[in-house]
Amino acid sequence: MTDPSDMIRQAERQCQQRGARFTPIRRRVLEMIADAPGSLKAYDLLDRLAAEHAAARPPTVYRALEFLIDQGLVHRIESLNAYVACPCPEHAHGFQLLICRLCGRVEELHLDEINDHLARRARELGFEVQRQTIELLGQCDACRQASERPAAPAEFP
């Protein structure tokens, strides 16, 4: 797992190199997402942001999220309608997400051969891919192991 403070420094560098404005609100939204153990929904972000900034409204959060997605700093998890920080925003290719249904942990993969194959097949069919989201839902190793452990024997007085 990437250190959230490293993610913020990387985001600052990336935005500076691109000439993109990394405003305090955008930074704070990214910090909240990066600090979360799993994904966060927009209204969870709004609740947290409103506790710090009384003027925070839904458009504030959605504009920040749109910026962070455009910069490759955050991914939208379509199946959960939630957001997760990108641990490697410098990676220019597509990605795949492994999402644990139990604990919400999200891991990002970069299997370029899958992306290349899909893009090639889409071109062969005359289709222009504008956005790709591959989400694999299941159980992480920790949750699977926890569910496989035998229950502790009941204690009797």
PDB file of all heavy atoms in Angstrom, residues 107-123:
ATOM      1  N   GLU A 107      -7.202  -3.244  -4.816  1.00  0.00           N
ATOM      2  CA  GLU A 107      -5.846  -3.356  -5.356  1.00  0.00           C
ATOM      3  C   GLU A 107      -5.903  -3.035  -6.842  1.00  0.00           C
ATOM      4  O   GLU A 107      -6.836  -3.442  -7.534  1.00  0.00           O
ATOM      5  CB  GLU A 107      -5.277  -4.765  -5.173  1.00  0.00           C
ATOM      6  CG  GLU A 107      -4.972  -5.128  -3.742  1.00  0.00           C
ATOM      7  CD  GLU A 107      -3.813  -4.348  -3.155  1.00  0.00           C
ATOM      8  OE1 GLU A 107      -2.881  -3.989  -3.906  1.00  0.00           O
ATOM      9  OE2 GLU A 107      -3.850  -4.097  -1.942  1.00  0.00           O
ATOM     10  N   GLU A 108      -4.909  -2.317  -7.305  1.00  0.00           N
ATOM     11  CA  GLU A 108      -4.848  -1.929  -8.708  1.00  0.00           C
ATOM     12  C   GLU A 108      -3.810  -2.793  -9.433  1.00  0.00           C
ATOM     13  O   GLU A 108      -2.705  -2.967  -8.945  1.00  0.00           O
ATOM     14  CB  GLU A 108      -4.469  -0.459  -8.813  1.00  0.00           C
ATOM     15  CG  GLU A 108      -4.451   0.069 -10.221  1.00  0.00           C
ATOM     16  CD  GLU A 108      -4.215   1.563 -10.250  1.00  0.00           C
ATOM     17  OE1 GLU A 108      -4.667   2.279  -9.340  1.00  0.00           O
ATOM     18  OE2 GLU A 108      -3.572   2.014 -11.208  1.00  0.00           O
ATOM     19  N   LEU A 109      -4.203  -3.321 -10.580  1.00  0.00           N
ATOM     20  CA  LEU A 109      -3.299  -4.098 -11.423  1.00  0.00           C
ATOM     21  C   LEU A 109      -3.056  -3.341 -12.720  1.00  0.00           C
ATOM     22  O   LEU A 109      -3.894  -2.550 -13.152  1.00  0.00           O
ATOM     23  CB  LEU A 109      -3.907  -5.460 -11.767  1.00  0.00           C
ATOM     24  CG  LEU A 109      -4.314  -6.373 -10.622  1.00  0.00           C
ATOM     25  CD1 LEU A 109      -4.976  -7.627 -11.182  1.00  0.00           C
ATOM     26  CD2 LEU A 109      -3.110  -6.727  -9.780  1.00  0.00           C
ATOM     27  N   HIS A 110      -1.926  -3.640 -13.352  1.00  0.00           N
ATOM     28  CA  HIS A 110      -1.611  -3.064 -14.661  1.00  0.00           C
ATOM     29  C   HIS A 110      -1.184  -4.189 -15.586  1.00  0.00           C
ATOM     30  O   HIS A 110      -0.004  -4.396 -15.834  1.00  0.00           O
ATOM     31  CB  HIS A 110      -0.504  -2.006 -14.539  1.00  0.00           C
ATOM     32  CG  HIS A 110      -0.950  -0.809 -13.777  1.00  0.00           C
ATOM     33  ND1 HIS A 110      -1.661   0.202 -14.358  1.00  0.00           N
ATOM     34  CD2 HIS A 110      -0.832  -0.483 -12.481  1.00  0.00           C
ATOM     35  CE1 HIS A 110      -1.948   1.105 -13.443  1.00  0.00           C
ATOM     36  NE2 HIS A 110      -1.460   0.706 -12.303  1.00  0.00           N
ATOM     37  N   LEU A 111      -2.161  -4.919 -16.081  1.00  0.00           N
ATOM     38  CA  LEU A 111      -1.897  -6.008 -17.004  1.00  0.00           C
ATOM     39  C   LEU A 111      -2.092  -5.454 -18.422  1.00  0.00           C
ATOM     40  O   LEU A 111      -3.173  -5.532 -19.001  1.00  0.00           O
ATOM     41  CB  LEU A 111      -2.820  -7.190 -16.712  1.00  0.00           C
ATOM     42  CG  LEU A 111      -2.706  -7.738 -15.282  1.00  0.00           C
ATOM     43  CD1 LEU A 111      -3.745  -8.810 -15.027  1.00  0.00           C
ATOM     44  CD2 LEU A 111      -1.303  -8.255 -15.021  1.00  0.00           C
ATOM     45  N   ASP A 112      -1.034  -4.864 -18.932  1.00  0.00           N
ATOM     46  CA  ASP A 112      -1.100  -4.161 -20.210  1.00  0.00           C
ATOM     47  C   ASP A 112      -1.517  -5.069 -21.354  1.00  0.00           C
ATOM     48  O   ASP A 112      -2.179  -4.620 -22.298  1.00  0.00           O
ATOM     49  CB  ASP A 112       0.241  -3.492 -20.517  1.00  0.00           C
ATOM     50  CG  ASP A 112       0.568  -2.381 -19.518  1.00  0.00           C
ATOM     51  OD1 ASP A 112      -0.377  -1.823 -18.928  1.00  0.00           O
ATOM     52  OD2 ASP A 112       1.757  -2.094 -19.336  1.00  0.00           O
ATOM     53  N   GLU A 113      -1.164  -6.349 -21.271  1.00  0.00           N
ATOM     54  CA  GLU A 113      -1.533  -7.258 -22.354  1.00  0.00           C
ATOM     55  C   GLU A 113      -3.052  -7.393 -22.478  1.00  0.00           C
ATOM     56  O   GLU A 113      -3.579  -7.529 -23.585  1.00  0.00           O
ATOM     57  CB  GLU A 113      -0.863  -8.630 -22.177  1.00  0.00           C
ATOM     58  CG  GLU A 113      -1.235  -9.381 -20.920  1.00  0.00           C
ATOM     59  CD  GLU A 113      -0.440  -9.007 -19.675  1.00  0.00           C
ATOM     60  OE1 GLU A 113       0.337  -8.038 -19.688  1.00  0.00           O
ATOM     61  OE2 GLU A 113      -0.627  -9.692 -18.651  1.00  0.00           O
ATOM     62  N   ILE A 114      -3.759  -7.306 -21.366  1.00  0.00           N
ATOM     63  CA  ILE A 114      -5.224  -7.349 -21.408  1.00  0.00           C
ATOM     64  C   ILE A 114      -5.760  -6.089 -22.074  1.00  0.00           C
ATOM     65  O   ILE A 114      -6.618  -6.150 -22.958  1.00  0.00           O
ATOM     66  CB  ILE A 114      -5.811  -7.506 -19.984  1.00  0.00           C
ATOM     67  CG1 ILE A 114      -5.502  -8.899 -19.453  1.00  0.00           C
ATOM     68  CG2 ILE A 114      -7.314  -7.232 -19.975  1.00  0.00           C
ATOM     69  CD1 ILE A 114      -5.873  -9.104 -18.006  1.00  0.00           C
ATOM     70  N   ASN A 115      -5.243  -4.948 -21.668  1.00  0.00           N
ATOM     71  CA  ASN A 115      -5.687  -3.679 -22.256  1.00  0.00           C
ATOM     72  C   ASN A 115      -5.384  -3.635 -23.750  1.00  0.00           C
ATOM     73  O   ASN A 115      -6.214  -3.189 -24.547  1.00  0.00           O
ATOM     74  CB  ASN A 115      -5.014  -2.505 -21.549  1.00  0.00           C
ATOM     75  CG  ASN A 115      -5.377  -2.451 -20.093  1.00  0.00           C
ATOM     76  OD1 ASN A 115      -6.503  -2.713 -19.718  1.00  0.00           O
ATOM     77  ND2 ASN A 115      -4.414  -2.135 -19.255  1.00  0.00           N
ATOM     78  N   ASP A 116      -4.179  -4.076 -24.124  1.00  0.00           N
ATOM     79  CA  ASP A 116      -3.789  -4.079 -25.540  1.00  0.00           C
ATOM     80  C   ASP A 116      -4.705  -4.984 -26.353  1.00  0.00           C
ATOM     81  O   ASP A 116      -5.137  -4.629 -27.452  1.00  0.00           O
ATOM     82  CB  ASP A 116      -2.329  -4.514 -25.698  1.00  0.00           C
ATOM     83  CG  ASP A 116      -1.352  -3.527 -25.073  1.00  0.00           C
ATOM     84  OD1 ASP A 116      -1.758  -2.373 -24.789  1.00  0.00           O
ATOM     85  OD2 ASP A 116      -0.189  -3.924 -24.858  1.00  0.00           O
ATOM     86  N   HIS A 117      -5.002  -6.156 -25.813  1.00  0.00           N
ATOM     87  CA  HIS A 117      -5.866  -7.106 -26.519  1.00  0.00           C
ATOM     88  C   HIS A 117      -7.268  -6.523 -26.704  1.00  0.00           C
ATOM     89  O   HIS A 117      -7.846  -6.604 -27.803  1.00  0.00           O
ATOM     90  CB  HIS A 117      -5.932  -8.443 -25.765  1.00  0.00           C
ATOM     91  CG  HIS A 117      -6.810  -9.448 -26.420  1.00  0.00           C
ATOM     92  ND1 HIS A 117      -6.418 -10.146 -27.538  1.00  0.00           N
ATOM     93  CD2 HIS A 117      -8.066  -9.847 -26.135  1.00  0.00           C
ATOM     94  CE1 HIS A 117      -7.401 -10.940 -27.915  1.00  0.00           C
ATOM     95  NE2 HIS A 117      -8.418 -10.786 -27.076  1.00  0.00           N
ATOM     96  N   LEU A 118      -7.814  -5.932 -25.665  1.00  0.00           N
ATOM     97  CA  LEU A 118      -9.152  -5.348 -25.764  1.00  0.00           C
ATOM     98  C   LEU A 118      -9.180  -4.185 -26.753  1.00  0.00           C
ATOM     99  O   LEU A 118     -10.119  -4.062 -27.553  1.00  0.00           O
ATOM    100  CB  LEU A 118      -9.625  -4.878 -24.385  1.00  0.00           C
ATOM    101  CG  LEU A 118      -9.953  -5.978 -23.382  1.00  0.00           C
ATOM    102  CD1 LEU A 118     -10.199  -5.391 -22.003  1.00  0.00           C
ATOM    103  CD2 LEU A 118     -11.151  -6.787 -23.847  1.00  0.00           C
ATOM    104  N   ALA A 119      -8.161  -3.330 -26.711  1.00  0.00           N
ATOM    105  CA  ALA A 119      -8.101  -2.195 -27.631  1.00  0.00           C
ATOM    106  C   ALA A 119      -7.979  -2.666 -29.076  1.00  0.00           C
ATOM    107  O   ALA A 119      -8.653  -2.132 -29.967  1.00  0.00           O
ATOM    108  CB  ALA A 119      -6.923  -1.290 -27.271  1.00  0.00           C
ATOM    109  N   ARG A 120      -7.141  -3.670 -29.294  1.00  0.00           N
ATOM    110  CA  ARG A 120      -6.967  -4.209 -30.645  1.00  0.00           C
ATOM    111  C   ARG A 120      -8.278  -4.807 -31.165  1.00  0.00           C
ATOM    112  O   ARG A 120      -8.704  -4.549 -32.287  1.00  0.00           O
ATOM    113  CB  ARG A 120      -5.851  -5.257 -30.637  1.00  0.00           C
ATOM    114  CG  ARG A 120      -5.484  -5.802 -31.996  1.00  0.00           C
ATOM    115  CD  ARG A 120      -4.258  -6.728 -31.988  1.00  0.00           C
ATOM    116  NE  ARG A 120      -4.284  -7.745 -30.947  1.00  0.00           N
ATOM    117  CZ  ARG A 120      -3.570  -7.712 -29.821  1.00  0.00           C
ATOM    118  NH1 ARG A 120      -2.780  -6.691 -29.562  1.00  0.00           N
ATOM    119  NH2 ARG A 120      -3.654  -8.690 -28.945  1.00  0.00           N
ATOM    120  N   ARG A 121      -8.943  -5.593 -30.324  1.00  0.00           N
ATOM    121  CA  ARG A 121     -10.205  -6.230 -30.737  1.00  0.00           C
ATOM    122  C   ARG A 121     -11.281  -5.172 -30.999  1.00  0.00           C
ATOM    123  O   ARG A 121     -12.042  -5.285 -31.957  1.00  0.00           O
ATOM    124  CB  ARG A 121     -10.658  -7.213 -29.658  1.00  0.00           C
ATOM    125  CG  ARG A 121     -11.819  -8.044 -30.059  1.00  0.00           C
ATOM    126  CD  ARG A 121     -11.475  -8.997 -31.207  1.00  0.00           C
ATOM    127  NE  ARG A 121     -12.647  -9.755 -31.565  1.00  0.00           N
ATOM    128  CZ  ARG A 121     -13.190  -9.779 -32.773  1.00  0.00           C
ATOM    129  NH1 ARG A 121     -12.613  -9.135 -33.766  1.00  0.00           N
ATOM    130  NH2 ARG A 121     -14.266 -10.460 -33.006  1.00  0.00           N
ATOM    131  N   ALA A 122     -11.327  -4.145 -30.173  1.00  0.00           N
ATOM    132  CA  ALA A 122     -12.302  -3.074 -30.378  1.00  0.00           C
ATOM    133  C   ALA A 122     -12.056  -2.383 -31.713  1.00  0.00           C
ATOM    134  O   ALA A 122     -13.001  -2.113 -32.467  1.00  0.00           O
ATOM    135  CB  ALA A 122     -12.228  -2.068 -29.230  1.00  0.00           C
ATOM    136  N   ARG A 123     -10.768  -2.088 -32.022  1.00  0.00           N
ATOM    137  CA  ARG A 123     -10.443  -1.463 -33.321  1.00  0.00           C
ATOM    138  C   ARG A 123     -10.866  -2.353 -34.480  1.00  0.00           C
ATOM    139  O   ARG A 123     -11.397  -1.865 -35.480  1.00  0.00           O
ATOM    140  CB  ARG A 123      -8.942  -1.177 -33.408  1.00  0.00           C
ATOM    141  CG  ARG A 123      -8.502   0.104 -32.750  1.00  0.00           C
ATOM    142  CD  ARG A 123      -7.077   0.498 -33.109  1.00  0.00           C
ATOM    143  NE  ARG A 123      -6.102  -0.571 -32.925  1.00  0.00           N
ATOM    144  CZ  ARG A 123      -5.489  -0.855 -31.775  1.00  0.00           C
ATOM    145  NH1 ARG A 123      -5.753  -0.148 -30.700  1.00  0.00           N
ATOM    146  NH2 ARG A 123      -4.613  -1.838 -31.703  1.00  0.00           N
TER     147      ARG A 123
END
